[in-house]
Amino acid sequence: MTPANRAPQPPQPPRPDDPSALRGIPQQRPQPAKEHAEHVEEPRNPAEQSDPPAPDEQQDEQAAAVQRKRAATRALFMELAQLERGDPRREEIRNRLVQQHLGLVEHLARRFRNRGEPLDDLTQVATIGLIKSVDRFDPDRGVEFSTYATPTVVGEIKRHFRDKGWAVRVPRRLQELRLSLTTATSELSQRNGRSPTVHELAEHLGITEEEVLEGLESANAYSTLSLDVPDSDEDSPAVADTLGEPDEALEGVEYRESLKPLLEQLPPREKKILLLRFFGNMTQSQIAQEVGISQMHVSRLLARTLAQLREKLLVEE
């Protein structure tokens, strides 16, 4: 077969070791390493790229807001002072000032919670102190209203504890003594690491030990316990169920002790008849047979002896 008549041969793939075969093949660029690709950041939202305000700027904004609030409060008080008593705007401005400072009232009332009085009652009492502060405040003195109102509100709450908090009414002197003892006990306990004695409390307060004991005893009148409350837990009986009751036989003990010397003064026969009748539980017929007299005679002797004893008991009483 001649070369012209040969069938065309398919092209052979280039060999890997032949450099000339790679000249016409486009080369691929190397891919970046995986660890380098992880560090590529995605584009962020322009709103997220804004930096947060600096702490100094936040403090300046808060201080400016406080100053604006104080200026508005002072302007309301100045307007309130210029209005007449019967002006309807005066009541409106007064209510606005009270509502603006209710947060101060709640803050001061929470300082006295868990002392035996409901928080709602303390808040109401503190609100009364706030209303009094609004009515008495003078803006021309140059004092902030919160500074002026805080002692008034706290004093109103303390007055409530002094006048209404006691379950049993005690003199004002003992109420103040109890507060002094409470403060002295706390100070001495922290200093000495133990509860103070009566002598130490007396020296600390400059009073006698009898006055300390009187103040400690009066503290028991601050709160009371209901007799219907269980003694320890819900399943235990109430306190009233554990209290003693008057003994009906107690009066009889007194009479028996009073009768003993009177019985010793009776004649032997009358004494024997009386003992057989009331201590031996014998009938008059049985007593008559025992003593050797008639039943009628036994009846007369019993009646006469009992009358004598009754008369002597009444005379001694």
Side-chain angles (χ1 to χ4, degrees), residues 178-233:
R178 173 187 173 272
L179 296 176
S180 301
L181 287 173
T182 302
T183 305
T185 302
S186 178
E187 294 178 357
L188 294 176
S189 298
Q190 293 179 359
R191 182 191 308 172
N192 301 330
R194 56 174 177 82
S195 299
T197 62
V198 175
H199 180 70
E200 291 173 346
L201 289 173
E203 286 186 349
H204 184 77
L205 296 176
I207 58 178
T208 62
E209 296 184 5
E210 289 76 10
E211 292 177 339
V212 172
L213 294 175
E214 186 180 11
L216 295 175
E217 185 178 358
S218 65
N220 297 327
Y222 185 77
S223 60
T224 58
L225 180 64
S226 175
L227 296 179
D228 297 329
V229 175
D231 190 8
S232 57
D233 51 21

Side-chain angles (χ1 to χ4, degrees), residues 256-275:
R256 284 195 296 270
E257 293 298 324
S258 301
L259 278 174
K260 283 182 179 180
L262 300 179
L263 292 176
E264 298 297 332
Q265 299 175 5
L266 292 176
R269 187 177 63 173
E270 281 78 356
K271 181 179 179 181
K272 181 178 181 180
I273 292 174
L274 200 64
L275 294 176

Side-chain angles (χ1 to χ4, degrees), residues 76-196:
L76 288 176
F77 273 110
M78 295 296 293
E79 185 178 359
L80 182 66
Q82 296 175 0
L83 296 176
E84 299 294 336
R85 288 286 181 180
D87 195 329
R89 294 186 56 194
R90 180 181 179 85
E91 190 69 21
E92 179 183 354
I93 296 176
R94 181 170 176 262
N95 293 336
R96 286 178 57 186
L97 289 170
V98 172
Q99 292 177 0
Q100 287 180 3
H101 295 87
L102 288 179
L104 175 64
V105 166
E106 295 176 357
H107 171 71
L108 296 176
R110 281 195 295 268
R111 291 170 52 184
F112 294 88
R113 62 183 177 182
N114 300 328
R115 297 190 182 184
E117 288 293 318
L119 181 59
D120 294 339
D121 294 350
L122 297 179
T123 304
Q124 293 180 4
V125 172
T127 305
I128 296 175
L130 175 64
I131 295 174
K132 293 181 179 179
S133 301
V134 171
D135 294 337
R136 301 171 183 174
F137 180 68
D138 186 3
D140 296 333
R141 294 186 177 181
V143 181
E144 296 295 335
F145 175 72
S146 58
T147 305
Y148 171 80
T150 297
T152 306
V153 174
V154 172
E156 196 72 24
I157 296 176
K158 291 183 177 180
R159 190 178 301 108
H160 171 76
F161 276 101
R162 184 189 63 193
D163 298 337
K164 306 296 183 181
W166 289 77
V168 179
R169 183 68 176 174
V170 298
R172 179 72 57 83
R173 176 182 63 84
L174 295 179
Q175 294 180 9
E176 296 176 352
L177 179 59
R178 173 187 173 272
L179 296 176
S180 301
L181 287 173
T182 302
T183 305
T185 302
S186 178
E187 294 178 357
L188 294 176
S189 298
Q190 293 179 359
R191 182 191 308 172
N192 301 330
R194 56 174 177 82
S195 299

